[in-house]
Amino acid sequence: MLRLPIPSGLRPLILAFSLIVAACGETDGTHSSETLLRVEFFADDGMGNPALLGLDNVVTGSTQIGLTMSEASGRVVPGLATSWRVSADGRSYIFKLREAYWADGRRITSGDVVAVLRRIIAPGSHNPLKPLLMRIAEAPAIAANRKPVRILGISDPLPDVVVIDLSQPEPSLLQLLAHPAATIIRREKTPPASGPYSAVPADEDDRSLRLVRNPAFFNADTVSIDEIVLAETNNIDASIGRFVAGKIDILTGAKLSGLNAARAVQNQATLHLDPSWGLYSYLARTGGGPLADIRVRRALAMSFERSNIIDRVLGGSGAQAAFGALAPTLPDAYAGSGPDWALWTPDVRQTEAARLLAEAGYSPANPLTLNVALPRGKEHEQLLGQIAAYWGAYGIRIKAFKRGAEAHRKAIAQGDFDLAAIERIAPAPVPGYFLSPFTCAERMGGYCNPAVDQLLKDAEQVDDAGERIQLQRRANRLISEDAPLIAVMSPVRWSLVSPRVSGWQSNIAGTHVFSGLRVTGPPLKEQ
Protein backbone atom coordinates (compact mmCIF):
# COMPACT_ATOMS: atom_id res chain seq x y z
CA MET A 1 0.00 0.00 0.00
CA LEU A 2 1.34 3.46 -0.88
CA ARG A 3 2.23 5.64 2.05
CA LEU A 4 2.08 9.10 0.60
CA PRO A 5 1.00 12.24 2.47
CA ILE A 6 -2.59 13.31 2.18
CA PRO A 7 -2.88 17.00 1.20
CA SER A 8 -4.16 19.15 4.05
CA GLY A 9 -7.30 20.08 2.14
CA LEU A 10 -8.40 16.43 2.03
CA ARG A 11 -8.21 15.78 5.76
CA PRO A 12 -11.60 17.35 6.59
CA LEU A 13 -13.18 15.28 3.81
CA ILE A 14 -11.66 12.09 5.16
CA LEU A 15 -12.95 12.80 8.65
CA ALA A 16 -16.35 13.73 7.25
CA PHE A 17 -16.85 10.71 5.05
CA SER A 18 -15.33 8.11 7.32
CA LEU A 19 -18.48 8.21 9.43
CA ILE A 20 -20.80 7.18 6.62
CA VAL A 21 -19.08 4.02 5.42
CA ALA A 22 -21.91 1.77 6.49
CA ALA A 23 -24.40 3.81 4.54
CA CYS A 24 -22.19 3.65 1.48
CA GLY A 25 -21.97 -0.10 1.19
CA GLU A 26 -18.35 -0.63 2.20
CA THR A 27 -17.21 -4.24 2.07
CA ASP A 28 -14.53 -5.98 4.11
CA GLY A 29 -11.84 -4.83 1.67
CA THR A 30 -11.80 -8.09 -0.33
CA HIS A 31 -12.82 -6.62 -3.70
CA SER A 32 -11.55 -8.58 -6.66
CA SER A 33 -8.65 -6.84 -8.39
CA GLU A 34 -10.81 -6.33 -11.49
CA THR A 35 -12.98 -3.83 -9.58
CA LEU A 36 -10.19 -1.94 -7.84
CA LEU A 37 -8.32 1.03 -9.34
CA ARG A 38 -5.09 2.53 -8.00
CA VAL A 39 -4.48 6.19 -8.86
CA GLU A 40 -1.72 8.66 -8.05
CA PHE A 41 -2.33 12.38 -8.45
CA PHE A 42 0.45 14.95 -8.70
CA ALA A 43 0.78 17.56 -5.99
CA ASP A 44 0.38 21.26 -6.78
CA ASP A 45 3.50 22.82 -8.32
CA GLY A 46 2.84 26.34 -7.01
CA MET A 47 2.20 27.82 -10.45
CA GLY A 48 -1.56 27.84 -10.71
CA ASN A 49 -4.70 27.75 -8.59
CA PRO A 50 -4.73 24.48 -6.62
CA ALA A 51 -8.32 25.16 -5.59
CA LEU A 52 -9.31 24.75 -9.24
CA LEU A 53 -6.95 21.95 -10.23
CA GLY A 54 -5.91 20.05 -7.11
CA LEU A 55 -6.60 16.64 -5.66
CA ASP A 56 -9.32 18.04 -3.40
CA ASN A 57 -11.41 18.60 -6.52
CA VAL A 58 -10.88 15.02 -7.66
CA VAL A 59 -12.35 13.81 -4.40
CA THR A 60 -15.18 16.36 -4.32
CA GLY A 61 -16.10 15.67 -7.94
CA SER A 62 -16.21 11.94 -7.21
CA THR A 63 -18.27 12.19 -4.04
CA GLN A 64 -20.69 15.07 -4.73
CA ILE A 65 -22.92 16.16 -7.63
CA GLY A 66 -23.71 19.58 -9.02
CA LEU A 67 -26.56 20.92 -11.10
CA THR A 68 -24.53 19.82 -14.11
CA MET A 69 -21.71 17.30 -14.42
CA SER A 70 -18.95 16.47 -16.88
CA GLU A 71 -18.69 13.16 -18.67
CA ALA A 72 -15.47 11.46 -19.78
CA SER A 73 -15.27 13.51 -22.99
CA GLY A 74 -15.48 16.77 -21.02
CA ARG A 75 -18.99 17.44 -22.32
CA VAL A 76 -21.45 18.92 -19.82
CA VAL A 77 -24.34 16.56 -19.05
CA PRO A 78 -27.25 16.61 -16.58
CA GLY A 79 -26.35 16.13 -12.94
CA LEU A 80 -28.78 17.00 -10.19
CA ALA A 81 -30.67 18.85 -12.91
CA THR A 82 -32.27 16.54 -15.46
CA SER A 83 -32.87 19.40 -17.88
CA TRP A 84 -32.75 23.18 -18.20
CA ARG A 85 -34.21 25.98 -20.28
CA VAL A 86 -32.42 29.21 -21.17
CA SER A 87 -34.29 32.43 -21.91
CA ALA A 88 -33.95 34.03 -25.33
CA ASP A 89 -31.71 36.79 -23.95
CA GLY A 90 -29.47 34.30 -22.13
CA ARG A 91 -30.14 35.89 -18.74
CA SER A 92 -32.30 33.27 -17.09
CA TYR A 93 -31.72 29.53 -16.57
CA ILE A 94 -34.49 27.29 -15.27
CA PHE A 95 -33.32 23.91 -13.95
CA LYS A 96 -35.58 20.90 -13.35
CA LEU A 97 -34.15 18.70 -10.61
CA ARG A 98 -34.20 14.91 -10.50
CA GLU A 99 -35.09 12.80 -7.48
CA ALA A 100 -31.68 12.41 -5.87
CA TYR A 101 -30.53 11.63 -2.35
CA TRP A 102 -27.52 11.94 -0.11
CA ALA A 103 -26.10 8.75 1.35
CA ASP A 104 -27.97 9.31 4.62
CA GLY A 105 -31.31 9.17 2.77
CA ARG A 106 -32.19 12.86 2.72
CA ARG A 107 -33.47 14.14 -0.61
CA ILE A 108 -31.61 16.99 -2.33
CA THR A 109 -33.95 19.91 -3.01
CA SER A 110 -33.81 23.25 -4.77
CA GLY A 111 -33.38 24.92 -1.40
CA ASP A 112 -30.07 23.10 -0.99
CA VAL A 113 -28.90 24.46 -4.35
CA VAL A 114 -29.85 28.02 -3.38
CA ALA A 115 -27.98 27.67 -0.08
CA VAL A 116 -24.79 26.45 -1.78
CA LEU A 117 -24.72 29.20 -4.42
CA ARG A 118 -25.33 31.84 -1.77
CA ARG A 119 -22.37 30.48 0.20
CA ILE A 120 -20.18 30.64 -2.88
CA ILE A 121 -20.96 34.34 -3.48
CA ALA A 122 -21.08 35.45 0.17
CA PRO A 123 -18.53 38.13 1.25
CA GLY A 124 -16.39 35.74 3.29
CA SER A 125 -16.29 33.00 0.65
CA HIS A 126 -12.98 31.85 -0.82
CA ASN A 127 -14.56 29.51 -3.35
CA PRO A 128 -12.35 29.56 -6.48
CA LEU A 129 -15.39 29.88 -8.76
CA LYS A 130 -16.61 33.03 -7.01
CA PRO A 131 -14.87 35.52 -9.37
CA LEU A 132 -16.24 33.61 -12.37
CA LEU A 133 -19.88 33.71 -11.19
CA MET A 134 -20.14 37.48 -10.84
CA ARG A 135 -22.72 37.64 -13.62
CA ILE A 136 -25.34 36.10 -11.36
CA ALA A 137 -27.67 39.00 -10.61
CA GLU A 138 -26.51 41.12 -7.64
CA ALA A 139 -23.40 38.95 -7.11
CA PRO A 140 -20.83 41.81 -7.25
CA ALA A 141 -22.71 43.90 -4.67
CA ILE A 142 -23.20 40.87 -2.39
CA ALA A 143 -19.56 39.82 -2.65
CA ALA A 144 -18.54 43.37 -1.72
CA ASN A 145 -20.89 43.21 1.29
CA ARG A 146 -23.03 46.08 -0.02
CA LYS A 147 -26.21 44.01 -0.31
CA PRO A 148 -27.61 40.98 1.59
CA VAL A 149 -26.98 37.54 0.14
CA ARG A 150 -30.70 36.74 0.11
CA ILE A 151 -31.21 38.96 -2.97
CA LEU A 152 -28.78 36.93 -5.08
CA GLY A 153 -30.31 36.06 -8.44
CA ILE A 154 -31.17 32.48 -7.58
CA SER A 155 -34.52 31.16 -6.39
CA ASP A 156 -36.38 27.92 -5.65
CA PRO A 157 -40.02 28.41 -6.72
CA LEU A 158 -40.63 24.65 -6.32
CA PRO A 159 -38.74 21.91 -4.43
CA ASP A 160 -37.53 20.55 -7.77
CA VAL A 161 -37.01 23.80 -9.70
CA VAL A 162 -34.10 26.25 -9.50
CA VAL A 163 -33.96 29.57 -11.36
CA ILE A 164 -30.69 31.46 -11.88
CA ASP A 165 -30.97 35.04 -13.16
CA LEU A 166 -27.95 36.78 -14.65
CA SER A 167 -27.12 40.45 -15.08
CA GLN A 168 -25.32 39.56 -18.33
CA PRO A 169 -25.30 36.35 -20.38
CA GLU A 170 -22.60 33.86 -19.34
CA PRO A 171 -22.07 31.30 -22.12
CA SER A 172 -19.89 29.16 -19.84
CA LEU A 173 -22.37 28.95 -16.94
CA LEU A 174 -23.22 25.26 -17.43
CA GLN A 175 -19.51 24.40 -17.63
CA LEU A 176 -18.80 26.35 -14.44
CA LEU A 177 -21.66 24.66 -12.59
CA ALA A 178 -20.15 21.28 -13.51
CA HIS A 179 -16.93 22.10 -11.66
CA PRO A 180 -16.42 20.30 -8.31
CA ALA A 181 -16.29 23.68 -6.53
CA ALA A 182 -19.98 24.13 -7.45
CA THR A 183 -21.23 20.77 -6.17
CA ILE A 184 -24.23 20.73 -3.83
CA ILE A 185 -22.58 19.77 -0.57
CA ARG A 186 -24.26 20.11 2.81
CA ARG A 187 -22.77 22.52 5.30
CA GLU A 188 -22.30 20.05 8.09
CA LYS A 189 -19.43 18.61 10.07
CA THR A 190 -19.93 15.27 8.34
CA PRO A 191 -21.58 15.96 4.98
CA PRO A 192 -22.79 12.75 3.32
CA ALA A 193 -21.94 11.84 -0.27
CA SER A 194 -24.30 12.29 -3.20
CA GLY A 195 -21.94 11.34 -6.03
CA PRO A 196 -20.78 7.98 -7.38
CA TYR A 197 -18.32 7.42 -4.52
CA SER A 198 -17.85 8.02 -0.81
CA ALA A 199 -14.40 8.74 0.62
CA VAL A 200 -12.88 6.83 3.55
CA PRO A 201 -9.33 6.34 4.90
CA ALA A 202 -7.70 3.25 3.39
CA ASP A 203 -6.73 1.89 6.82
CA GLU A 204 -5.26 3.12 10.09
CA ASP A 205 -1.65 2.94 8.94
CA ASP A 206 -2.04 4.08 5.36
CA ARG A 207 -1.87 7.70 4.18
CA SER A 208 -3.78 7.21 0.94
CA LEU A 209 -7.51 7.62 0.47
CA ARG A 210 -10.15 5.15 -0.64
CA LEU A 211 -13.22 5.91 -2.68
CA VAL A 212 -15.96 3.27 -2.42
CA ARG A 213 -19.14 3.01 -4.45
CA ASN A 214 -22.09 5.00 -3.15
CA PRO A 215 -25.32 3.05 -3.73
CA ALA A 216 -27.36 6.22 -3.10
CA PHE A 217 -25.94 7.85 -6.27
CA PHE A 218 -28.77 8.40 -8.75
CA ASN A 219 -26.85 6.61 -11.50
CA ALA A 220 -25.20 3.95 -9.33
CA ASP A 221 -25.89 1.09 -11.75
CA THR A 222 -23.49 2.64 -14.29
CA VAL A 223 -20.52 2.66 -11.88
CA SER A 224 -18.41 -0.43 -12.57
CA ILE A 225 -15.37 0.14 -10.34
CA ASP A 226 -16.08 -0.73 -6.72
CA GLU A 227 -13.05 0.84 -5.09
CA ILE A 228 -10.37 3.42 -5.91
CA VAL A 229 -7.19 3.88 -3.90
CA LEU A 230 -6.06 7.47 -4.39
CA ALA A 231 -2.77 9.02 -3.24
CA GLU A 232 -0.91 12.26 -3.84
CA THR A 233 2.69 12.29 -5.05
CA ASN A 234 5.34 14.92 -5.67
CA ASN A 235 8.05 12.56 -6.96
CA ILE A 236 7.43 12.29 -10.69
CA ASP A 237 10.22 9.87 -11.51
CA ALA A 238 9.25 7.48 -8.72
CA SER A 239 5.60 7.60 -9.75
CA ILE A 240 6.42 6.87 -13.38
CA GLY A 241 8.53 3.96 -12.14
CA ARG A 242 5.59 2.58 -10.16
CA PHE A 243 3.36 2.92 -13.21
CA VAL A 244 5.84 1.13 -15.49
CA ALA A 245 6.20 -1.61 -12.87
CA GLY A 246 2.44 -2.16 -12.94
CA LYS A 247 1.84 -1.04 -9.35
CA ILE A 248 -0.63 1.74 -10.18
CA ASP A 249 -3.26 2.04 -12.89
CA ILE A 250 -3.33 5.82 -13.44
CA LEU A 251 -0.88 8.64 -12.94
CA THR A 252 -2.61 11.98 -13.49
CA GLY A 253 -2.83 15.65 -12.53
CA ALA A 254 0.54 16.53 -14.13
CA LYS A 255 1.23 19.53 -16.35
CA LEU A 256 4.66 20.48 -17.70
CA SER A 257 6.89 18.73 -15.16
CA GLY A 258 7.69 15.14 -16.08
CA LEU A 259 6.15 15.30 -19.55
CA ASN A 260 9.29 14.20 -21.37
CA ALA A 261 9.86 11.36 -18.90
CA ALA A 262 6.27 10.22 -19.47
CA ARG A 263 6.81 10.37 -23.22
CA ALA A 264 9.77 8.02 -22.80
CA VAL A 265 7.54 5.26 -21.42
CA GLN A 266 7.84 2.35 -23.83
CA ASN A 267 4.11 1.83 -24.36
CA GLN A 268 3.10 5.22 -25.72
CA ALA A 269 -0.54 4.12 -25.90
CA THR A 270 -0.62 4.69 -22.16
CA LEU A 271 0.20 8.43 -22.48
CA HIS A 272 -2.77 10.78 -22.75
CA LEU A 273 -2.38 14.52 -23.41
CA ASP A 274 -5.06 17.08 -22.62
CA PRO A 275 -5.01 20.54 -24.20
CA SER A 276 -6.21 23.28 -21.87
CA TRP A 277 -7.83 26.67 -21.59
CA GLY A 278 -4.55 27.81 -20.16
CA LEU A 279 -1.50 30.03 -20.45
CA TYR A 280 2.10 29.30 -19.45
CA SER A 281 3.99 32.57 -19.05
CA TYR A 282 6.52 34.59 -17.08
CA LEU A 283 4.98 37.24 -14.88
CA ALA A 284 6.99 40.48 -14.84
CA ARG A 285 7.40 42.52 -11.66
CA THR A 286 6.32 45.83 -13.14
CA GLY A 287 6.12 47.67 -9.83
CA GLY A 288 9.87 48.15 -9.57
CA GLY A 289 13.26 47.07 -10.86
CA PRO A 290 14.33 46.81 -14.50
CA LEU A 291 10.97 45.44 -15.68
CA ALA A 292 9.16 48.59 -14.62
CA ASP A 293 10.43 49.79 -18.01
CA ILE A 294 7.92 48.81 -20.70
CA ARG A 295 10.68 48.84 -23.32
CA VAL A 296 12.50 46.01 -21.57
CA ARG A 297 9.33 43.95 -21.14
CA ARG A 298 8.32 44.37 -24.78
CA ALA A 299 11.80 43.46 -25.97
CA LEU A 300 11.78 40.28 -23.88
CA ALA A 301 8.36 39.31 -25.21
CA MET A 302 9.12 39.75 -28.89
CA SER A 303 12.71 38.47 -29.04
CA PHE A 304 12.28 34.66 -29.00
CA GLU A 305 10.63 32.21 -31.39
CA ARG A 306 7.99 30.31 -29.46
CA SER A 307 7.22 27.61 -32.02
CA ASN A 308 10.90 26.68 -32.34
CA ILE A 309 11.29 26.44 -28.57
CA ILE A 310 8.13 24.38 -28.10
CA ASP A 311 9.30 21.96 -30.80
CA ARG A 312 12.71 21.55 -29.18
CA VAL A 313 11.46 21.03 -25.65
CA LEU A 314 7.95 19.61 -26.09
CA GLY A 315 7.73 18.58 -29.73
CA GLY A 316 4.55 16.68 -30.56
CA SER A 317 2.83 17.57 -27.29
CA GLY A 318 0.21 19.79 -28.90
CA ALA A 319 1.19 22.92 -26.95
CA GLN A 320 0.36 26.09 -28.90
CA ALA A 321 2.43 29.27 -29.01
CA ALA A 322 0.92 32.18 -27.08
CA PHE A 323 1.63 35.88 -27.50
CA GLY A 324 -0.89 37.76 -25.36
CA ALA A 325 -2.81 37.69 -22.10
CA LEU A 326 -5.51 35.34 -23.43
CA ALA A 327 -5.06 31.60 -23.89
CA PRO A 328 -4.84 30.75 -27.62
CA THR A 329 -7.29 27.88 -27.03
CA LEU A 330 -10.20 30.21 -26.22
CA PRO A 331 -13.01 30.49 -28.83
CA ASP A 332 -12.01 31.78 -32.27
CA ALA A 333 -13.74 35.10 -31.60
CA TYR A 334 -10.70 36.07 -29.49
CA ALA A 335 -8.05 34.94 -31.98
CA GLY A 336 -5.65 37.59 -33.25
CA SER A 337 -6.27 40.03 -30.41
CA GLY A 338 -2.70 39.91 -29.12
CA PRO A 339 0.12 42.38 -29.79
CA ASP A 340 0.79 43.76 -33.26
CA TRP A 341 4.36 42.43 -33.22
CA ALA A 342 3.06 38.85 -33.12
CA LEU A 343 2.53 39.16 -36.88
CA TRP A 344 5.98 40.57 -37.63
CA THR A 345 8.74 38.43 -39.14
CA PRO A 346 11.44 37.15 -36.78
CA ASP A 347 14.02 39.53 -38.24
CA VAL A 348 11.81 42.57 -37.69
CA ARG A 349 10.98 41.50 -34.12
CA GLN A 350 14.60 40.90 -33.21
CA THR A 351 15.72 44.22 -34.67
CA GLU A 352 13.04 46.06 -32.71
CA ALA A 353 13.93 44.15 -29.52
CA ALA A 354 17.57 45.21 -29.85
CA ARG A 355 16.53 48.83 -30.42
CA LEU A 356 14.25 48.90 -27.38
CA LEU A 357 16.89 47.39 -25.12
CA ALA A 358 19.57 49.76 -26.38
CA GLU A 359 17.22 52.68 -25.77
CA ALA A 360 16.72 51.39 -22.21
CA GLY A 361 20.51 51.20 -21.77
CA TYR A 362 21.13 47.45 -22.17
CA SER A 363 23.27 45.56 -24.67
CA PRO A 364 25.89 42.77 -24.70
CA ALA A 365 28.40 45.41 -23.63
CA ASN A 366 26.12 46.53 -20.78
CA PRO A 367 24.17 43.40 -19.80
CA LEU A 368 21.11 43.08 -17.60
CA THR A 369 20.68 40.20 -15.14
CA LEU A 370 17.14 39.08 -14.30
CA ASN A 371 16.12 36.87 -11.39
CA VAL A 372 13.61 34.25 -12.51
CA ALA A 373 11.46 32.26 -10.06
CA LEU A 374 10.87 28.69 -11.25
CA PRO A 375 9.11 25.65 -9.80
CA ARG A 376 11.17 22.49 -9.69
CA GLY A 377 11.12 20.36 -12.83
CA LYS A 378 13.44 19.60 -15.73
CA GLU A 379 11.00 20.85 -18.34
CA HIS A 380 10.67 24.26 -16.66
CA GLU A 381 14.46 24.58 -16.71
CA GLN A 382 14.71 23.41 -20.32
CA LEU A 383 12.07 25.85 -21.48
CA LEU A 384 13.71 28.80 -19.73
CA GLY A 385 17.10 27.69 -21.01
CA GLN A 386 15.91 27.82 -24.61
CA ILE A 387 14.39 31.27 -24.13
CA ALA A 388 17.48 32.52 -22.29
CA ALA A 389 19.59 31.51 -25.29
CA TYR A 390 17.66 34.03 -27.39
CA TRP A 391 17.83 36.70 -24.70
CA GLY A 392 21.57 36.22 -24.27
CA ALA A 393 22.19 37.67 -27.73
CA TYR A 394 20.84 40.99 -26.45
CA GLY A 395 22.83 41.05 -23.21
CA ILE A 396 20.04 39.63 -21.02
CA ARG A 397 21.36 37.19 -18.45
CA ILE A 398 19.22 34.88 -16.35
CA LYS A 399 19.62 33.73 -12.78
CA ALA A 400 17.04 31.04 -11.99
CA PHE A 401 15.79 30.27 -8.49
CA LYS A 402 14.15 26.83 -8.33
CA ARG A 403 11.76 26.29 -5.44
CA GLY A 404 9.16 23.86 -4.17
CA ALA A 405 5.46 24.60 -4.62
CA GLU A 406 4.85 26.59 -1.43
CA ALA A 407 8.13 28.50 -1.69
CA HIS A 408 7.43 29.36 -5.34
CA ARG A 409 3.95 30.61 -4.52
CA LYS A 410 5.34 32.64 -1.61
CA ALA A 411 8.04 34.22 -3.80
CA ILE A 412 5.37 35.36 -6.26
CA ALA A 413 3.13 36.73 -3.50
CA GLN A 414 6.03 38.68 -1.99
CA GLY A 415 7.32 40.01 -5.32
CA ASP A 416 10.63 38.17 -4.90
CA PHE A 417 11.36 37.96 -8.64
CA ASP A 418 11.94 39.91 -11.81
CA LEU A 419 10.18 37.20 -13.79
CA ALA A 420 8.18 34.31 -12.33
CA ALA A 421 6.89 31.25 -14.16
CA ILE A 422 3.12 31.01 -13.75
CA GLU A 423 0.48 28.79 -15.30
CA ARG A 424 -3.19 29.71 -15.30
CA ILE A 425 -5.69 27.09 -16.47
CA ALA A 426 -9.34 28.12 -16.51
CA PRO A 427 -12.18 25.72 -15.61
CA ALA A 428 -14.14 27.00 -18.61
CA PRO A 429 -13.39 29.18 -21.67
CA VAL A 430 -13.88 32.44 -19.75
CA PRO A 431 -11.74 35.38 -21.02
CA GLY A 432 -12.19 37.26 -17.75
CA TYR A 433 -10.22 34.57 -15.91
CA PHE A 434 -7.11 35.74 -17.79
CA LEU A 435 -7.86 39.47 -18.01
CA SER A 436 -9.13 40.33 -14.52
CA PRO A 437 -5.76 39.78 -12.73
CA PHE A 438 -4.43 42.75 -14.68
CA THR A 439 -6.99 45.23 -13.43
CA CYS A 440 -5.82 47.99 -11.09
CA ALA A 441 -7.79 46.33 -8.28
CA GLU A 442 -5.69 43.16 -8.46
CA ARG A 443 -2.40 44.60 -9.78
CA MET A 444 -0.89 41.26 -10.70
CA GLY A 445 2.86 41.81 -10.71
CA GLY A 446 2.19 45.45 -9.86
CA TYR A 447 0.60 46.21 -13.25
CA CYS A 448 -2.14 48.83 -13.58
CA ASN A 449 -3.48 50.50 -16.72
CA PRO A 450 -6.68 52.56 -16.21
CA ALA A 451 -7.54 52.15 -19.90
CA VAL A 452 -7.66 48.36 -19.43
CA ASP A 453 -9.87 48.83 -16.37
CA GLN A 454 -12.34 50.93 -18.33
CA LEU A 455 -12.52 48.47 -21.22
CA LEU A 456 -13.22 45.55 -18.88
CA LYS A 457 -15.78 47.57 -16.93
CA ASP A 458 -17.55 48.49 -20.16
CA ALA A 459 -17.48 44.84 -21.25
CA GLU A 460 -19.46 43.85 -18.17
CA GLN A 461 -22.11 46.48 -18.81
CA VAL A 462 -22.95 45.99 -22.50
CA ASP A 463 -25.82 43.75 -23.57
CA ASP A 464 -24.53 42.79 -27.00
CA ALA A 465 -22.24 39.74 -26.97
CA GLY A 466 -20.34 40.90 -30.05
CA GLU A 467 -19.60 44.28 -28.51
CA ARG A 468 -18.49 42.60 -25.30
CA ILE A 469 -16.02 40.43 -27.20
CA GLN A 470 -14.61 43.47 -29.00
CA LEU A 471 -14.04 45.27 -25.71
CA GLN A 472 -12.28 42.22 -24.27
CA ARG A 473 -10.17 41.94 -27.42
CA ARG A 474 -9.08 45.56 -27.06
CA ALA A 475 -8.22 44.99 -23.39
CA ASN A 476 -6.14 41.95 -24.34
CA ARG A 477 -4.29 43.96 -26.97
CA LEU A 478 -3.46 46.72 -24.49
CA ILE A 479 -2.25 44.28 -21.84
CA SER A 480 -0.25 42.34 -24.41
CA GLU A 481 1.45 45.47 -25.75
CA ASP A 482 2.29 46.55 -22.17
CA ALA A 483 3.71 43.04 -21.58
CA PRO A 484 3.20 42.64 -17.82
CA LEU A 485 3.63 38.95 -18.60
CA ILE A 486 5.70 37.16 -21.23
CA ALA A 487 3.33 34.60 -22.74
CA VAL A 488 4.90 31.40 -24.02
CA MET A 489 2.28 28.74 -24.77
CA SER A 490 -0.97 27.04 -23.88
CA PRO A 491 0.09 24.21 -21.57
CA VAL A 492 -0.92 20.59 -21.89
CA ARG A 493 -1.69 18.18 -19.07
CA TRP A 494 -0.60 14.57 -19.20
CA SER A 495 -1.66 11.28 -17.69
CA LEU A 496 -0.44 7.71 -17.86
CA VAL A 497 -3.30 5.20 -18.03
CA SER A 498 -2.86 1.45 -17.88
CA PRO A 499 -4.08 -0.60 -20.88
CA ARG A 500 -6.35 -2.49 -18.45
CA VAL A 501 -8.35 0.74 -17.92
CA SER A 502 -10.93 1.72 -20.54
CA GLY A 503 -13.10 4.81 -20.85
CA TRP A 504 -10.39 7.47 -20.41
CA GLN A 505 -10.77 10.30 -22.95
CA SER A 506 -8.48 13.28 -23.45
CA ASN A 507 -10.38 16.59 -23.44
CA ILE A 508 -9.68 20.31 -23.12
CA ALA A 509 -11.65 20.55 -19.88
CA GLY A 510 -9.24 18.06 -18.29
CA THR A 511 -12.24 16.18 -16.90
CA HIS A 512 -11.65 12.53 -16.07
CA VAL A 513 -14.54 10.84 -14.34
CA PHE A 514 -13.64 7.68 -12.43
CA SER A 515 -17.24 6.53 -12.46
CA GLY A 516 -17.07 6.24 -16.24
CA LEU A 517 -14.04 3.95 -16.25
CA ARG A 518 -13.83 0.17 -16.46
CA VAL A 519 -11.02 -2.15 -15.39
CA THR A 520 -10.22 -5.42 -17.18
CA GLY A 521 -7.24 -7.67 -17.65
CA PRO A 522 -4.69 -9.04 -15.17
CA PRO A 523 -4.61 -7.69 -11.62
CA LEU A 524 -2.05 -5.16 -10.38
CA LYS A 525 1.17 -6.32 -8.79
CA GLU A 526 1.35 -6.23 -5.00
CA GLN A 527 2.42 -2.91 -3.47
Side-chain angles (χ1 to χ4, degrees):
M1 188 72 73
L2 297 173
R3 285 176 170 79
L4 300 174
I6 298 173
S8 59
L10 284 181
R11 292 175 189 139
L13 277 173
I14 293 174
L15 292 174
F17 289 114
S18 62
L19 300 180
I20 58 171
V21 174
C24 298
E26 185 192 16
T27 70
D28 60 2
T30 58
H31 293 302
S32 68
S33 57
E34 286 74 23
T35 62
L36 184 145
L37 188 75
R38 295 189 186 275
V39 181
E40 284 192 32
F41 194 93
F42 283 111
D44 171 48
D45 57 10
M47 292 186 66
N49 185 346
L52 284 172
L53 300 170
L55 181 56
D56 289 22
N57 279 311
V58 174
V59 175
T60 303
S62 298
T63 58
Q64 304 292 332
I65 59 174
L67 280 173
T68 58
M69 300 171 64
S70 296
E71 63 175 8
S73 68
R75 185 172 68 95
V76 174
V77 296
L80 177 60
T82 59
S83 61
W84 50 84
R85 290 189 291 114
V86 185
S87 63
D89 62 2
R91 293 190 181 189
S92 184
Y93 286 68
I94 302 174
F95 296 89
K96 175 69 173 178
L97 307 190
R98 71 174 73 248
E99 184 176 342
Y101 296 85
W102 277 293
D104 64 357
R106 179 182 146 187
R107 184 171 178 175
I108 307 172
T109 69
S110 56
D112 296 308
V113 178
V114 170
V116 166
L117 287 176
R118 285 178 176 176
R119 290 203 306 268
I120 290 174
I121 303 299
S125 167
H126 298 290
N127 188 292
L129 291 184
K130 182 177 178 177
L132 304 179
L133 294 174
M134 286 295 105
R135 289 184 181 171
I136 297 179
E138 305 294 349
I142 293 167
N145 207 20
R146 296 196 304 269
K147 292 185 179 180
V149 71
R150 68 176 180 274
I151 70 168
L152 183 67
I154 179 168
S155 59
D156 52 341
L158 294 171
D160 61 350
V161 174
V162 171
V163 179
I164 298 180
D165 293 314
L166 307 176
S167 58
Q168 297 291 336
E170 176 49 81
S172 297
L173 180 64
L174 297 176
Q175 185 86 45
L176 292 170
L177 293 175
H179 191 274
T183 54
I184 311 306
I185 184 170
R186 286 196 347 224
R187 194 175 192 177
E188 299 177 4
K189 184 177 180 180
T190 57
S194 62
Y197 292 96
S198 292
V200 295
D203 57 51
E204 291 183 1
D205 299 323
D206 191 40
R207 300 292 293 171
S208 57
L209 180 72
R210 280 196 305 137
L211 302 179
V212 296
R213 288 183 61 185
N214 173 21
F217 176 50
F218 70 84
N219 215 11
D221 59 347
T222 67
V223 180
S224 64
I225 296 175
D226 288 338
E227 180 181 343
I228 300 168
V229 177
L230 185 64
E232 188 175 59
T233 177
N234 54 17
N235 189 326
I236 289 176
D237 291 336
S239 294
I240 292 176
R242 282 190 289 273
F243 177 84
V244 172
K247 295 183 177 180
I248 57 176
D249 293 295
I250 296 173
L251 186 56
T252 189
K255 293 176 283 183
L256 182 60
S257 292
L259 175 55
N260 286 333
R263 294 168 68 185
V265 172
Q266 186 172 6
N267 183 0
Q268 278 296 286
T270 64
L271 177 63
H272 295 257
L273 298 173
D274 290 326
S276 71
W277 296 302
L279 195 65
Y280 185 105
S281 60
Y282 298 101
L283 177 67
R285 185 169 65 89
T286 62
L291 298 187
D293 190 330
I294 188 175
R295 296 171 297 184
V296 179
R297 301 196 305 267
R298 293 194 73 201
L300 292 176
M302 67 174 65
S303 59
F304 62 96
E305 297 307 305
R306 289 154 174 82
S307 295
N308 290 344
I309 290 171
I310 292 170
D311 285 344
R312 289 172 195 159
V313 180
L314 304 169
S317 68
Q320 298 181 37
F323 299 90
L326 291 178
T329 47
L330 290 179
D332 290 343
Y334 296 94
S337 63
D340 290 339
W341 54 259
L343 300 177
W344 298 352
T345 64
D347 287 345
V348 172
R349 284 205 300 268
Q350 291 162 12
T351 298
E352 177 63 5
R355 185 193 71 78
L356 287 169
L357 286 170
E359 190 178 286
Y362 303 110
S363 68
N366 185 33
L368 168 65
T369 298
L370 297 174
N371 295 329
V372 182
L374 280 185
R376 293 196 178 103
K378 295 176 183 177
E379 288 79 3
H380 296 290
E381 297 174 36
Q382 292 167 352
L383 197 64
L384 180 60
Q386 290 288 330
I387 295 172
Y390 279 92
W391 287 345
Y394 304 91
I396 305 297
R397 298 173 180 172
I398 293 301
K399 187 174 183 180
F401 293 85
K402 295 168 285 186
R403 300 178 174 94
E406 287 301 321
H408 184 66
R409 193 171 8 254
K410 183 177 180 181
I412 294 174
Q414 295 180 342
D416 185 15
F417 62 91
D418 292 314
L419 291 171
I422 63 171
E423 189 171 71
R424 293 178 58 78
I425 298 180
V430 182
Y433 180 79
F434 301 96
L435 299 176
S436 62
F438 295 102
T439 59
C440 294
E442 296 199 28
R443 291 180 178 268
M444 190 174 187
Y447 175 77
C448 170
N449 184 335
V452 170
D453 274 21
Q454 190 60 54
L455 286 168
L456 295 178
K457 181 179 179 181
D458 292 344
E460 289 305 311
Q461 294 176 344
V462 299
D463 292 331
D464 182 72
E467 185 178 354
R468 185 179 310 110
I469 290 172
Q470 289 306 311
L471 290 166
Q472 291 170 328
R473 287 174 59 91
R474 288 169 57 192
N476 179 44
R477 188 175 298 278
L478 275 181
I479 297 170
S480 303
E481 292 288 358
D482 287 347
L485 83 166
I486 314 301
V488 180
M489 63 180 181
S490 64
V492 295
R493 293 164 287 192
W494 63 267
S495 303
L496 290 173
V497 182
S498 168
R500 80 188 201 105
V501 178
S502 61
W504 189 279
Q505 298 183 47
S506 297
N507 63 86
I508 194 169
T511 300
H512 301 293
V513 184
F514 295 144
S515 60
L517 301 179
R518 292 182 178 275
V519 178
T520 57
L524 286 175
K525 297 180 181 180
E526 290 298 322
Q527 301 298 297

